[in-house]
Amino acid sequence: MHKVALDAGFTCPNRDGSKGIGGCTFCNNKSFAPGARDPAPLAAQFDRARGRIARRTGARRFIAYFQAYTNTYAHVDELRALYDAALAAPT
């Protein structure tokens, strides 16, 4: 099993100004999510990354991982739709 970092377009309260500005000093998503700020639909991100990871590591099963910024920083209905779509993707 290998995680696939996905970018759902979230931000965070330390970036959008609701709690702070400029983000956190340790938050450099490009360092741990090569596809950070990938505007592609989640299914396309997952498929592309799954192929890349499989070739590199030999992994055969995958799990969606919402990596970029704060992955719970959205309305619950939006989160539910995203998480349900990720759970429905083939592993």
Side-chain angles (χ1 to χ4, degrees):
M1 183 68 71
H2 200 286
K3 74 178 180 180
V4 174
L6 299 174
D7 183 350
F10 297 116
T11 184
C12 85
N14 290 310
R15 287 185 168 272
D16 72 6
S18 65
K19 298 289 182 195
I21 56 170
C24 301
T25 58
F26 59 85
C27 189
N28 178 7
N29 282 282
K30 287 186 179 188
S31 68
F32 47 75
R37 302 289 79 170
D38 183 349
L42 291 178
Q45 290 181 52
F46 190 77
D47 288 342
R48 188 171 48 241
R50 188 172 49 189
R52 186 173 53 242
I53 293 166
R55 284 189 299 279
R56 190 180 76 237
T57 68
R60 298 174 73 179
R61 298 201 54 189
F62 304 90
I63 186 168
Y65 180 75
F66 290 91
Q67 177 73 54
Y69 304 107
T70 303
N71 63 12
T72 58
Y73 191 56
H75 188 275
V76 69
D77 293 332
E78 179 183 354
L79 294 173
R80 182 177 291 114
L82 291 169
Y83 298 162
D84 285 346
L87 288 169
T91 61

